Structure formats: C-alpha cells, structure tokens
Amino acid sequence: MNIKDSIDITVIGLGFVGLTAALGFAEKGYSVKAYDSDIYKTRELSKGELPFHEPGLSTMLNKHLNENLVLCDSLEESLSDAKLIFICVGTPYLEGAGLDLSMLLNVVKDICRFSSKDAYPSIIVKSTIPPGTMRTKIKPVVEDCGLRVGQNIGLAYNPEFLREGNAWDDFMHPDRIIIGELDRVTSDSLVKLYESFTVPYAQVSAETAEMLKFSSNALLATMISFANEQALIAEHIGQVNIPELFRLLHMDKRWSGSPAGMINYVYPGCGFGGYCLPKDTLALKNAANQHGVEAKVLNAVMEVNLDISEHTVRKVIRSLKHRDEQIGILGLAFKPGSDDVRYSPAVGIIEALLDEGCTNLSAYDPMAMRNFEEHYGYPLKMANSLDEIVAGSDICVIVTAWPEFQVLTDHASDIRIIDARYMLENKEASVLVN
C-alpha cells in the first residue's frame, strides 16, 4: 500500500500557515481534510477564493479543492479517520501577557473530546508557542481528557519558517524539517510524511523545536535593528553614504559560501574577545554618544558579553564541591588558531574565580600560554598537555574552542566539564539527517 494512502491528514486553522500546509500536503498526494472556525473564510475558500494575498496559493487551491483537499463544516467532521492532525491556529501577542494560547488549548481539548482512545491520532502543533508549551501546557490538557501521550495519542511540535510572499516555495522546498518530539510514534510518522520533501530533518526535543522558531525570528529582528541603529548613527555623524556602507558590508566573504562563515558568529560561547571586536564596538558606541545617539543595540552587545562570562563563572561555582577543588581552564587565547590573549574571555573568568576564592587554578592552551603569562600575573599553573590538565583537575572549563578539546566528548561522563563553548557532542541530541 502506498504510504500516502495510509496517512489521513487534518489541518485546523486555514490562515497563512494552515492553508499553505494543507495545500502543500495535497500537492504531495496526501488526502487532506481542513477546518476553520471562521465560516466566512471557509465560504470564500470553498468558492476557490483566497481571503488573503499569497502568490501561488490560488492556483493550488483551485487545483486541489474537492480533490485531495476537502473543506469541512465542523471540527468533528474534519477529525474522522485523521491520523495526523496539524493545528495552525493563531497565537496573538498580548501586551504584558505574552502569546494568547487560549484558542490553541481549546482546539486541543476539542480534538481529545472527538478522538477515540483506540485510534492513536497524533496532534502536531505548527502554531508559534513559547518554549515549554508542548510539555507543560498542551500535554497536561491532553492527559486531563483521559488520554496518555505515547499510549493512545501522540504529540509533536513541527514549526514552519514561511515568509509572506514566498510561503508556497518555502513550504515545498524548506531548508530543513524540524520535529519536536514527545512520543516516538508521532515523530517517526512525521519522518515518513516528509520523506518526499527530500531535505534534511531533525528529531529533537519539543523545547528545542519551540525555541528554534523564536530564535530564528529573533535573529532576523536583531539584524534589522542593528542595521537601523547603524544607519541612525551614520546619519548623525554625517557624510556617510549609507546605502554604499551596507553594500560594502555585504561584500564580506563571510556572508557567502555553504556554509557561510557568518554561522561561526551565530553560535554561543562564553563571550567574544581579541583586540578588534571589543575595542571597535566600544569606540563606535562612544562615537554615537558624542553625536547624540544612544546606541542601544551596541550597549546590549557589550552587556551580554559581560553577562555570559559571569554566567559561566556561576556554572563553575555551582559545580564545585568546595572552593579548594582544582579547576582546569582549557584555552587562554581569545579564539582557536591564535595566540592573542588580549581581552580574552579567559581573563574575566579567571579573575572572577579568584575573587570567589577559587585559588587552585591551572590552565592549558596549545599556543597562548607564554603570551598569557607575559600579559597577566595570575597565580596559574600551566599544564604541558591536555591529558595532564584533565588528569590533575577536579573540574575542567572549556573557554577556547580548540579542536583538540573535542576528544573530551568521550570522557564527558568520567570528569566534570563545563563546556562554555558548546563544542562537545551531545550523544543524546538528534542531528540533521539527509
């Protein structure tokens, strides 16, 4: 039997995301039932007319309407025989209260009310929700209805990354498929569903998938605000050709390639250092102030850089059994492949640990130990090798992401490691599968 014949799909909520998903699955050959509580929207769609503008959807609607796509008059009707139920209802932002989940939670309750305990339907949320919602809000609602996730009903979070004006192409040719898993049956069913899309997929925790949706949009918003603040500063300085400034900025080769070099800057750690980034950011912030502009983005950049260093120290302190334990600092250079220790994150971390009364400190760096000793007079014992510092330490802190530290992945269960660069492989984490 064709896998497409065995998967009956229901899409609830026929807005921008829901209608695109319903038509996309129909285009892939699946049988799709769809429902929206707005009877006027349903009436327009049943006539082959879109209630909003989105290139390509009108053609697809008229192609699949009453064929692979059936519009239902009631939620109960749409759920008959459904195996995979996609919820795409709105979660509007309420000032001071966050996202309004009331419509989503009500739909979940109704699905549970109409679902048979013997059918094992899977509820897949596509609506944007705060991290933790699937496990702490939606799962309890389901189980309050007498169902048990993983026994007679499934749950997953499956975010969309659609751009208005490009929704159809983004759905049919996504960068990757993200499956936020709460039960394996549903997760594996989604893998089968998306097989024909032939793109990488990742089966991750629901919280990872929820956070990814937020992080993706927050990154874009941050870049826009950064660019706008730069233009604001440039206008106040005067004689800066702003369009030319950004055209030249975009010529940086780190924007291009696959993967682009800029991904190295969009990855967490324990802060940035070196000579250029701190100095130039502070200097531009000062220049903005001199011209009457409060550089809020740049202020936040420097504040977060300090905050993340302090956060790393707190993680170390919490992991200590007592202050006299031997702490090994792995990495002194501001980045791997360099012996430059100016403004290195290791400086602030070591100073803070000493202030906390942690005096048994040792360090190892493949290239920067001599420079560090010449620049700073901290009471550090320098180790001759990675093996030596690991053997002699009660806890190790990875401060610089030297490739040779990657071997510690195999020893993560044997020794206490604070991986401040997130470089060690998490063996429990799912990775993108092609």
Side-chain angles (χ1 to χ4, degrees), residues 116-315:
S116 167
K117 290 186 177 181
D118 300 323
Y120 204 103
S122 292
I123 299 174
I124 301 105
V125 176
K126 281 188 174 291
S127 306
T128 300
I129 52 178
T133 299
M134 293 297 299
R135 201 176 305 274
T136 64
K137 288 186 169 61
I138 293 178
K139 184 179 179 183
V141 166
V142 169
E143 298 193 334
D144 284 346
C145 294
L147 299 168
R148 291 293 175 263
V149 175
Q151 295 182 20
N152 46 32
I153 195 167
L155 276 182
Y157 184 61
N158 178 216
E160 285 296 344
F161 303 91
L162 307 182
R163 298 167 295 166
E164 291 190 40
N166 295 89
W168 180 251
D169 187 65
D170 287 345
F171 186 87
M172 299 304 291
H173 306 98
D175 299 319
R176 71 291 199 210
I177 301 295
I178 306 299
I179 301 168
E181 180 178 306
L182 281 101
D183 72 289
R184 197 67 185 186
V185 171
T186 299
S187 181
D188 289 344
S189 294
L190 287 172
V191 170
K192 292 178 182 178
L193 174 71
Y194 285 114
E195 277 180 350
S196 62
F197 287 75
T198 62
V199 295
Y201 68 87
Q203 292 168 282
V204 298
S205 70
E207 290 80 1
T208 301
E210 292 163 331
M211 185 70 184
L212 177 61
K213 174 64 174 179
F214 273 26
S215 296
S216 178
N217 284 336
L219 173 62
L220 299 177
T222 299
M223 290 193 292
I224 292 169
S225 287
F226 168 79
N228 286 332
E229 182 173 278
Q230 293 296 297
L232 184 63
I233 296 170
E235 282 188 8
H236 280 74
I237 291 174
Q239 301 301 309
V240 178
N241 184 325
I242 293 174
E244 187 67 13
L245 169 68
F246 281 92
R247 278 195 292 270
L248 295 172
L249 186 66
H250 297 162
M251 290 176 67
D252 188 319
K253 63 183 178 182
R254 287 169 291 190
W255 288 108
S256 58
S258 182
M262 283 296 176
I263 66 170
N264 295 317
Y265 296 85
V266 190
Y267 196 82
C270 52
F272 60 80
Y275 185 63
C276 294
L277 296 189
K279 176 179 72 71
D280 290 1
T281 304
L282 289 168
L284 180 56
K285 186 165 75 79
N286 183 66
N289 289 337
Q290 290 179 355
H291 287 85
V293 178
E294 181 186 1
K296 296 179 181 178
V297 173
L298 298 184
N299 284 337
V301 166
M302 299 309 298
E303 288 174 6
V304 171
N305 202 48
L306 178 61
D307 289 346
I308 197 64
S309 177
E310 294 173 348
H311 174 68
T312 300
V313 173
R314 288 194 296 272
K315 287 171 71 174

Side-chain angles (χ1 to χ4, degrees), residues 20-126:
T20 304
L23 291 171
F25 290 135
E27 178 71 3
K28 287 291 185 178
Y30 293 103
S31 173
V32 181
K33 292 179 181 178
Y35 170 75
D36 195 289
S37 61
D38 185 340
I39 60 174
Y40 299 104
K41 181 188 293 182
T42 304
R43 188 176 300 163
E44 291 297 300
L45 291 172
S46 65
K47 294 187 291 186
E49 299 176 4
L50 290 184
F52 51 83
H53 174 72
E54 184 59 42
L57 290 194
S58 180
T59 301
M60 289 298 114
L61 176 61
N62 284 281
K63 175 181 178 181
H64 294 295
L65 186 61
N66 298 321
E67 296 292 336
N68 282 4
L69 175 65
V70 175
L71 300 177
C72 298
D73 295 325
S74 69
L75 178 62
E76 185 174 9
E77 178 191 353
S78 72
L79 294 173
S80 63
D81 302 320
K83 291 296 184 184
L84 300 179
I85 305 164
F86 290 87
I87 304 179
C88 308
V89 299
T91 53
Y93 181 77
L94 300 178
E95 193 64 40
L99 298 187
D100 181 2
L101 303 177
S102 58
M103 189 183 306
L104 171 61
L105 296 177
N106 285 334
V107 169
V108 171
K109 291 177 186 176
D110 288 340
I111 291 172
C112 293
R113 185 159 56 93
F114 292 127
S115 295
S116 167
K117 290 186 177 181
D118 300 323
Y120 204 103
S122 292
I123 299 174
I124 301 105
V125 176
K126 281 188 174 291

Side-chain angles (χ1 to χ4, degrees), residues 378-431:
Y378 301 127
L380 288 176
K381 177 186 176 183
M382 296 296 180
N384 294 314
S385 68
L386 177 61
D387 288 340
E388 179 183 324
I389 193 169
V390 169
S393 299
D394 296 302
I395 184 170
C396 288
V397 188
I398 300 178
V399 177
T400 310
W402 287 98
E404 71 177 82
F405 298 162
Q406 189 70 53
V407 299
L408 295 176
T409 298
D410 298 328
H411 303 285
S413 60
D414 304 326
I415 56 177
R416 279 177 286 157
I417 299 174
I418 302 297
D419 183 9
R421 289 294 175 184
Y422 301 93
M423 66 176 295
L424 301 185
E425 179 184 351
N426 182 350
K427 293 183 177 180
E428 295 181 357
S430 295
V431 297

